[in-house]
Amino acid sequence: MIRRLIDLWKHLVEVSRYDPEKDLDRWREQLFTVIYPLALLAGLAVCADTLHTAFVEQRFLLTVAACVAYLFVMTLMSLRFVPIRARMAAGLVIFFSSVFYQSSPLVGYLFLFSLPPLIAILVSFHAALSALGANVLLFIATTYHFATFDVDLQNFGIPSLDRWILYGIVFLVLDIIVTLSFGLLTKGLAQVIALEREVRHALMEREKRLTELNTRLSEEMERRERMREELSETERKAAFYLSHDRLTNLPNRAAFLQRLSVEIMRARNRGWMFGVVSIGLDRFKHVNGMYGTAGGDAILNSLAERLRGILRDHDAIGRVGDDRFMLLFSDIARPEDMLVILPRVWETIERPFQIETQEAQVSASIGICFFPLDGTTAEALVKEAEAAMFAVKESGGGAHRFFDAKMNAEMIERVTIERKMRDAIKRDEFIPFFQPKVDRFGYLLGMEALIRWNDSEGIILPDRFIPIAEQNGTIVEIGERVLYHACRQNRQWQENGFVPKKVSVNISPFEFRSPGLVRRIRETVEKSGLDPLWLELEITESGIIRNEQDALRKLRELHEIGISLSIDDFGTGYSALSKLKDYPVDTLKIDKSFIDCVPHDKRAVTIVVSLIRLAHNLGFKVVAEGVERSEQFEFLVVHGCDQFQGYFFGRPLAASEFEHHLHSSTSSS
Ligand code: C2E
Ligand code: CA
Ligand code: CA
């Protein structure tokens, strides 16, 4: 009970902190829980009194009915799910019914007077006020009843009517005070709670509004962002199409020119060159007529796509006219590199295009020019590439042409040679000529095999095709054929009874670096049947210095087979003589460019003389190549050169013609 009261107090203190709606109810319930046992006790006492009176007066039915009613109401009041106000009402019923059967009006009033404050707390202040009014009316009515009917108040334990009125007034005053204070307290509390509820509600509302505003704001911001994006997308598109072609999305003429200008600066800074290629589709009107404009557009689109596919990082492309494209190939080392790129360009044009179910084929004219060889401004380069392209168009189209006439001729030759080369290998058209090597007495010591291309249109010299063969890799096959023929021929001469001589075969730097070189040479020599003793290989300095370790290993292996080794074009490279002494090399061949200048050029004289001396000191034999005049020969003899080669002694000749050198050397020996 005391704990309950403490709880109640605590509750009152904390009430402002709780959820007002719930707490008000809970607080009422707490009060009710305190009052409830008191009410039970009081009810029990009143009931017992009633029962006692009824029993004494022998009204048993009433006794039983009172007991049942009492039990029923008590049960009702104990049920939790019954609303608190219903339970309160049941309590009131029991008080009224008890009081109604009270013998003493004093006790009855005591209970009646306690009702308004109770109602004030538990129900509402208004109800309490009406209960108070009812009390006053009841008092007046009872007093009137007592006075009018002259009731013997002594029977109720009241000494006189005056006393009754006095008690009544005192009770009523007390009742009013207690009810008012309880009511005000509850009302105040309720107000505080309501206020708090209002504040909370307002806060919540505010928060809700804020969140709402926030959402609206972010929605608005999103909308703006979208609008801005859409706007910039349109702007971007507009800007893009200012510089790009709508059909293929490629840069237009102006944009391509700009790109070219940038490339010119880049190439200038680095000292590089680049190529500009103009592609004009041949008779495109005709194509449009055949496949319709949509078909023509589709062809242009796929061609643009294909061309884009063959570009490397710094290359560029543009659509500079209805049926014209322009390509920029950056970082080109020399014009010949274009010959590697052109087949790829041709492939993109000549591969059939799929127009719905049909296959369409187009032809084009291509013009090529180079920065800085043909022009140094973007406009000039475009003009020249297009001039070359239009020249092709005029002569029927379907081909390419270089702007520079000389270069064009060279390139055409290159392409022709390259095309013919593979067939020539199959037809074994590469054969060696032989040039004599003699000693200071003119005695034949050996011969250098020099390759010739025995083309149907005449003999082609190595300068015209060896660089190409080195570039496309066919030099390996060609070199192998020449080596075989040279060895085979030498063997044949030996078999024919000529005094055995050494044959020198040139190995190009590319060939020398190729993997499997030693094995291939060994097999070829074996196949020819020549004793390796009668073979010398001429390797240029540049062939050795690239990868010295690998070169040294190869030279040793070749030397072990029994093949002699000679350094060709000596003096033109950068190798230090001292380094060469570690190489298994027997001979140094002083380059023709030095021999050409002796004995008149002092510098050349100094170089040749010191080369010969140094070579001898290191144990090498020295060969002079390109000796054309007797004064050169005499000079070289005086300075101790060991062997001589040049037109002065004999030009390179076909094997059958070379035999007379062998004859004379055989007869003189
Ligand atoms: P190289 O090895 O320096 O050959 C010497 C070149 O000088 C030869 O030219 C030869 O005909 C030429 N020559 C010789 N004596 C004289 C002379 O007195 N005056 C003049 N003006 N020229 C002379 P060729 O035969 O045209 O060969 C040129 C180059 O082609 C050779 O230079 C060599 O590097 C290469 N070569 C020739 N045959 C082969 C071969 O079978 N394989 C490889 N890889 N390269 C070869
Ligand atoms: Ca040579
Ligand atoms: Ca040479």
Side-chain angles (χ1 to χ4, degrees):
M1 167 87 169
I2 295 168
R3 224 194 70 218
R4 289 251 177 219
L5 279 168
I6 294 169
D7 277 356
L8 173 68
W9 174 246
K10 276 189 191 158
H11 206 85
L12 279 169
V13 171
E14 284 179 17
V15 78
S16 59
R17 281 185 234 150
Y18 286 93
D19 179 66
E21 192 64 69
K22 266 194 203 153
D23 288 339
L24 190 62
D25 271 353
R26 229 195 288 160
W27 182 71
R28 277 175 174 158
E29 191 169 344
Q30 291 279 359
L31 267 180
F32 180 68
T33 337
V34 176
I35 288 160
Y36 182 58
L38 291 176
L40 276 185
L41 274 177
L44 207 62
V46 172
C47 212
D49 187 46
T50 311
L51 280 179
H52 173 72
T53 316
F55 193 72
V56 169
E57 289 171 10
Q58 295 198 333
R59 285 151 70 183
F60 296 112
L61 204 65
L62 179 73
T63 312
V64 171
C67 278
V68 169
Y70 179 74
L71 274 175
F72 173 73
V73 175
M74 283 300 140
T75 317
L76 205 67
M77 283 174 79
S78 323
L79 294 175
R80 279 210 141 251
F81 59 82
V82 178
I84 198 158
R85 286 179 195 215
R87 289 200 249 160
M88 259 328 294
L92 292 183
V93 168
I94 214 166
F95 292 142
F96 271 118
S97 55
S98 313
V99 168
F100 198 66
Y101 281 97
Q102 246 337 297
S103 44
S104 162
L106 219 55
V107 178
Y109 276 114
L110 201 68
F111 282 108
L112 275 179
F113 287 144
S114 68
L115 276 177
L118 255 172
I119 291 170
I121 296 167
L122 299 171
V123 186
S124 86
F125 192 46
H126 284 121
L129 285 180
S130 41
L132 212 57
N135 266 5
V136 174
L137 283 178
L138 202 67
F139 176 68
I140 293 168
T142 327
T143 313
Y144 178 74
H145 176 78
F146 286 158
T148 319
F149 296 100
D150 214 1
V151 180
D152 185 7
L153 291 173
Q154 295 280 329
N155 285 350
F156 298 107
I158 301 168
S160 64
L161 189 63
D162 294 352
R163 275 290 169 90
W164 161 253
I165 292 171
L166 184 70
Y167 288 159
I169 288 172
V170 168
F171 267 126
L172 272 176
V173 169
L174 279 176
D175 204 18
I176 288 167
I177 292 171
V178 172
T179 307
L180 278 178
S181 44
F182 269 20
L184 284 175
L185 184 78
T186 317
K187 197 172 171 149
L189 217 62
Q191 259 170 3
V192 167
I193 287 162
L195 206 71
E196 194 188 288
R197 187 190 305 158
E198 228 165 75
V199 168
R200 275 193 199 205
H201 188 72
L203 268 173
M204 259 159 61
E205 274 294 297
R206 231 185 131 95
E207 214 159 277
K208 222 169 85 190
R209 258 182 65 80
L210 266 174
T211 345
E212 239 174 61
L213 269 171
N214 225 12
T215 336
R216 278 238 300 279
L217 199 74
S218 55
E219 266 171 21
E220 179 67 10
M221 263 158 68
E222 232 168 67
R223 211 170 58 85
R224 273 176 191 231
E225 188 54 34
R226 255 205 316 276
M227 259 167 70
R228 186 152 3 123
E229 260 167 31
E230 269 164 28
L231 204 71
S232 61
E233 173 69 17
T234 335
E235 268 172 13
R236 213 180 51 73
K237 262 197 193 142
F240 182 79
Y241 284 123
L242 258 157
S243 58
H244 286 73
D245 163 49
R246 276 184 184 275
L247 176 67
T248 57
N249 279 350
L250 292 181
N252 58 21
R253 194 181 187 91
F256 186 80
L257 276 168
Q258 211 169 5
R259 174 71 183 81
L260 260 187
S261 309
V262 174
E263 190 61 27
I264 287 173
M265 282 200 299
R266 210 170 76 93
R268 262 211 193 106
N269 284 341
R270 304 177 184 209
W272 285 346
M273 65 184 298
F274 65 81
V276 177
V277 174
S278 161
I279 302 176
L281 295 175
D282 295 333
R283 296 168 291 275
F284 199 66
K285 276 202 192 78
H286 185 64
V287 174
N288 266 336
M290 250 165 76
Y291 304 104
T293 328
D297 284 356
I299 290 177
L300 287 171
N301 248 330
S302 7
L303 179 59
E305 202 48 52
R306 286 181 193 176
L307 286 171
R308 219 180 289 173
I310 62 167
L311 301 184
R312 300 153 309 170
D313 274 359
H314 288 100
D315 297 349
I317 181 172
R319 186 179 175 211
V320 295
D322 285 346
D323 52 2
R324 268 180 287 150
F325 295 92
M326 206 92 193
L327 300 169
L328 180 159
F329 290 100
S330 60
D331 309 344
I332 279 181
R334 50 202 160 168
E336 287 93 315
D337 290 352
M338 213 60 210
L339 295 175
V340 184
I341 296 168
L342 275 172
R344 276 186 257 150
V345 177
W346 274 120
E347 199 274 336
T348 64
I349 298 166
E350 286 172 343
R351 184 156 30 106
F353 295 91
Q354 197 68 37
I355 309 282
E356 285 166 7
T357 52
Q358 288 186 76
E359 268 198 353
Q361 217 146 5
V362 295
S363 147
S365 303
I366 295 179
I368 306 135
C369 71
F370 296 96
F371 170 92
L373 309 178
D374 301 320
T376 49
T377 65
E379 287 76 14
L381 288 168
V382 166
K383 215 179 86 196
E384 281 156 9
E386 288 193 328
M389 183 270 286
F390 282 123
V392 177
K393 251 194 187 171
E394 254 162 49
S395 51
H400 60 253
R401 178 174 294 186
F402 291 82
F403 173 73
D404 183 272
K406 193 167 149 263
M407 189 190 293
N408 195 45
E410 278 169 19
M411 292 291 191
I412 286 172
E413 192 201 78
R414 257 194 82 110
V415 174
T416 331
I417 285 185
E418 205 164 357
R419 245 181 234 158
K420 286 203 301 190
M421 198 178 274
R422 297 183 193 271
D423 286 339
I425 296 172
K426 279 188 215 129
R427 285 198 293 265
D428 211 5
E429 285 177 0
F430 295 99
I431 49 153
F433 270 35
F434 297 92
Q435 187 182 29
K437 279 183 182 178
V438 300
D439 68 4
R440 53 194 301 192
F441 306 109
Y443 177 74
L444 183 74
L445 295 172
M447 53 269 166
E448 178 175 3
L450 292 160
I451 193 170
R452 298 293 179 265
W453 179 348
N454 194 8
D455 184 50
S456 52
E457 286 164 29
I459 296 285
I460 302 175
L461 291 173
D463 292 342
R464 276 177 63 198
F465 62 85
I466 284 198
I468 302 172
E470 281 189 327
Q471 230 174 37
N472 65 20
T474 46
I475 186 71
V476 175
E477 275 173 87
I478 294 173
E480 205 179 302
R481 291 312 299 160
V482 172
L483 177 67
Y484 173 75
H485 283 303
C487 293
R488 180 84 212 111
Q489 185 60 61
N490 201 17
R491 161 93 191 152
Q492 192 68 50
W493 282 326
Q494 290 177 6
E495 279 170 2
N496 291 355
F498 293 115
V499 178
K501 308 279 175 191
K502 242 182 208 175
V503 67
S504 308
V505 177
N506 293 285
I507 303 288
S508 88
F510 182 90
E511 216 180 331
F512 186 71
R513 285 195 296 271
S514 67
L517 170 94
V518 178
R519 179 186 47 80
R520 258 182 290 125
I521 289 180
R522 191 196 296 119
E523 282 170 12
T524 310
V525 176
E526 261 169 30
K527 206 169 94 188
S528 75
L530 182 75
D531 185 337
L533 206 71
W534 301 111
L535 174 64
E536 180 180 65
L537 296 178
E538 293 188 5
I539 299 146
T540 57
E541 270 183 280
S542 58
I544 297 172
I545 53 178
R546 275 276 194 88
N547 182 353
E548 276 183 69
Q549 287 307 311
D550 181 60
L552 199 59
R553 185 182 53 78
K554 281 177 175 165
L555 291 176
R556 290 212 173 110
E557 282 174 21
L558 290 169
H559 198 71
E560 271 164 28
I561 300 173
I563 299 170
S564 312
L565 299 167
S566 160
I567 302 287
D568 206 355
D569 296 349
F570 190 74
T572 56
Y574 310 95
S575 53
L577 264 176
S578 53
K579 214 178 231 174
L580 283 180
K581 76 177 184 330
D582 304 329
Y583 288 23
V585 169
D586 323 278
T587 315
L588 299 186
K589 244 180 134 172
I590 300 177
D591 192 63
K592 180 174 174 294
S593 56
F594 298 107
I595 307 300
D596 279 346
C597 304
V598 292
H600 306 296
D601 185 308
K602 281 215 181 82
R603 264 176 54 108
V605 168
T606 320
I607 293 171
V608 171
V609 171
S610 44
L611 272 182
I612 295 172
R613 196 174 307 143
L614 260 165
H616 281 162
N617 284 346
L618 292 166
F620 296 118
K621 266 185 284 160
V622 180
V623 181
E625 67 172 8
V627 181
E628 290 179 338
R629 301 178 304 274
S630 61
E631 50 180 17
Q632 291 171 313
F633 177 50
E634 280 154 22
F635 169 85
L636 290 163
V637 169
V638 168
H639 288 96
C641 188
D642 305 291
Q643 292 182 25
F644 311 86
Q645 186 185 348
Y647 293 172
F648 187 64
F649 311 101
R651 289 181 175 256
L653 294 169
S656 56
E657 293 165 33
F658 186 78
E659 273 178 23
H660 84 262
H661 284 290
L662 291 167
H663 272 300
S664 51
S665 91
T666 307
S667 54
S668 67
S669 62

